[in-house]
Amino acid sequence: MKTVLLLLAAGSGSRMGLKQNKVFLSLGGKSVLQRSMEAFVPFADEIIVLHRPGEEEAAGAETEKVPFSGVLRLVPGGADRQDSVENGLSRSGCRPEDLILIHDSARCLVSPGLIRRVRDAALEKGASIPGLPATNTIKVCREDQVLQTPDRSLLYEIQTPQACRADWLLQAFARARGDGFRGTDDASLLEHAGFPVAVVRGERNNIKLTTGEDIRMAESILGLSRLPRVGHGYDVHRFAEDRKLILCGVEIPWEKGLLGHSDADVAVHALMDAMLGAAGLGDIGLHFPDTDPRYEGISSLLLLKETVRLLQANGYELLNADLTIAAQKPKLRPYIARMTETLAAALGVDPSRLNVKATTTEGLGFEGRMEGISAQAVCLILPVTAEGTPAAP
Ligand code: MG
């Protein structure tokens, strides 16, 4: 009898707002995938990593870092978890008497004790999964309406690894395929096929990395927390005839606009400089030179979105920003709410993270003489990975 691990690494980072697959995020110098694989080395004879199609090389680079003397295969995952597991089963050399462990690589804090508990229970009873008794009241709802409240004492939050005899699992997948049944975990296929599944005690620290908050929780469990960073931005544009006045992405009716290579949105430029400065990434001129024809007349909101992507690629997200626009005229107060909402949408954050305000300069200086508008911004950014700087693509 051998033990085969199917390690699911085909997820995305979309719920973290990441471009890269979250399994490649670095925590304390090791990727999520590497940490997950390492945890199972003492338990597995064969490891099959289900990677996202097109990521074989990247996944291979991580698995190579793990000393493992058993059989290692890299297999493309499917459209969802069930397809991925099925791909893995079909590519494994498993025999009916073998034991299959299935684990989400996003649960990279799994402990040896938990793996052992699940494995031993499956060896004894055929199939087992780790679960935590629900501590919150859970309600069944549809379209914002509560339908019912199930008895909490019967509810468990289920984790991975899930473990099962290979013959049971193969039968359960064949049955699901025949019936067109789709499950959200492997145990639901076993249940569907009528096999008993034992529940063993899960662990609170065995979190699934899904959001940026989970990453910070994982860092604090591992003792790796990093500090937030501050940034400041300042920009000025002069007034010109026959230009639209765009501030924070909002067109303001006014007799003049601001002169610039892009749409000359001075407020967005100040915010971008603050964000780039906080991340230690230089300034707006470095990333979006005004000699580049691609940026001629472009909406600065697009450049702001690109700045968010640069921050994400370097492991940061915006916590909050405060902007001040200095203009003698026009009166900006009526537009503040729309400006805030427009910026929040471009940044992909809740408007509560932003504050936009306007001031005159009491007639003093170039703003007071109505030669132009200036803007200043400060922001705080938070690290979303322990190592901070995966290379920007
Ligand atoms: Mg500018």
Side-chain angles (χ1 to χ4, degrees):
M1 190 217 84
K2 66 179 178 181
T3 301
V4 178
L5 168 69
L6 304 183
L7 187 56
L8 297 161
S12 73
S14 57
R15 272 188 278 179
M16 289 185 197
L18 294 170
K19 278 265 168 141
Q20 66 171 167
N21 186 341
K22 65 188 170 193
V23 303
F24 301 123
L25 274 180
S26 177
L27 285 172
K30 290 180 183 177
S31 71
V32 168
L33 179 54
Q34 184 184 348
R35 283 182 179 276
S36 288
M37 181 172 161
E38 274 177 1
F40 283 89
V41 163
F43 300 94
D45 303 298
E46 179 177 337
I47 295 180
I48 299 179
V49 176
L50 283 311
H51 60 81
R52 201 151 71 178
E55 291 184 344
E56 179 170 358
E57 208 174 308
E62 294 312 308
T63 56
E64 257 176 33
K65 297 173 189 165
V66 184
F68 178 59
S69 57
V71 177
L72 173 68
R73 298 180 216 267
L74 298 172
V75 174
D80 61 13
R81 179 199 180 89
Q82 193 168 327
D83 286 346
S84 291
V85 171
E86 203 159 14
N87 285 359
L89 282 174
S90 69
R91 288 286 302 278
S92 78
C94 75
R95 289 157 304 184
E97 68 272 22
D98 291 339
L99 186 74
I100 310 287
L101 302 175
I102 304 170
H103 186 64
D104 290 325
S105 59
R107 294 188 191 271
C108 65
L109 302 183
V110 62
S111 73
L114 177 59
I115 299 172
R116 196 171 298 116
R117 267 200 305 284
V118 175
R119 180 199 62 184
D120 291 351
L123 286 173
E124 187 187 334
K125 296 175 176 165
S128 94
I129 57 177
L132 288 169
T135 50
N136 294 310
T137 296
I138 304 216
K139 293 188 187 287
V140 179
C141 307
R142 185 186 292 139
E143 288 164 1
D144 300 335
Q145 273 298 310
V146 173
L147 298 182
Q148 63 178 113
T149 306
D151 178 357
R152 189 172 71 184
S153 67
L154 299 176
L155 296 175
Y156 284 72
E157 290 179 47
I158 300 306
Q159 306 179 330
T160 69
Q162 305 198 347
C164 186
R165 295 163 46 156
D167 54 345
W168 286 14
L169 200 61
L170 291 165
Q171 285 177 52
F173 270 82
R175 170 78 182 271
R177 201 181 321 117
D179 297 350
F181 175 81
R182 307 300 293 176
T184 51
D185 72 346
D186 317 295
S188 49
L189 274 68
L190 292 165
E191 295 153 38
H192 177 73
F195 291 108
V197 178
V199 182
V200 301
R201 179 169 44 85
E203 287 177 0
R204 290 270 161 226
N205 282 355
N206 183 25
I207 57 174
K208 186 173 181 178
L209 303 183
T210 308
T211 64
E213 266 100 65
D214 299 331
I215 294 283
R216 281 189 288 284
M217 196 183 294
E219 286 176 333
S220 95
I221 290 168
L222 292 167
L224 298 168
S225 302
R226 288 195 310 159
L227 296 172
R229 293 171 61 112
V230 66
H232 171 255
Y234 173 67
D235 196 25
V236 173
H237 282 258
R238 68 170 66 239
F239 276 126
E241 307 285 344
D242 300 321
R243 293 272 301 181
K244 285 179 180 169
L245 178 59
I246 313 279
L247 293 171
C248 298
V250 175
E251 186 176 337
I252 316 280
W254 183 241
E255 61 203 37
K256 290 178 180 174
L258 294 173
L259 189 61
H261 184 62
S262 63
D263 63 359
D265 191 330
V266 65
V268 169
H269 294 180
L271 176 59
M272 288 168 64
D273 260 350
M275 292 166 66
L276 292 169
L281 291 172
D283 65 11
I284 189 170
L286 186 70
H287 295 277
F288 312 102
D290 62 8
T291 49
D292 190 329
R294 278 184 301 166
Y295 304 128
E296 190 173 343
I298 196 172
S299 164
S300 296
L301 291 178
L302 296 175
L303 305 183
L304 181 63
K305 286 181 184 172
E306 184 59 19
T307 305
V308 172
R309 200 194 60 74
L310 275 167
L311 256 63
Q312 281 170 354
N314 285 275
Y316 292 105
E317 67 175 25
L318 182 70
L319 176 65
N320 79 307
D322 186 20
L323 259 127
T324 303
I325 303 169
Q328 194 63 38
K329 275 184 180 174
K331 258 209 151 2
L332 297 177
R333 180 175 298 259
Y335 306 99
I336 294 289
R338 250 178 75 207
M339 289 177 175
T340 307
E341 280 160 25
T342 307
L343 282 184
L347 291 161
V349 302
D350 191 87
S352 65
R353 297 197 187 202
L354 298 176
N355 192 72
V356 179
K357 53 201 190 300
T359 182
T360 71
T361 58
E362 302 272 337
L364 298 171
F366 64 85
E367 300 101 328
R369 292 190 298 273
M370 285 186 278
E371 294 166 5
I373 293 180
S374 69
Q376 302 200 39
V378 287
C379 71
L380 268 188
I381 61 170
L382 292 176
V384 289
T385 73
E387 292 307 279
T389 48

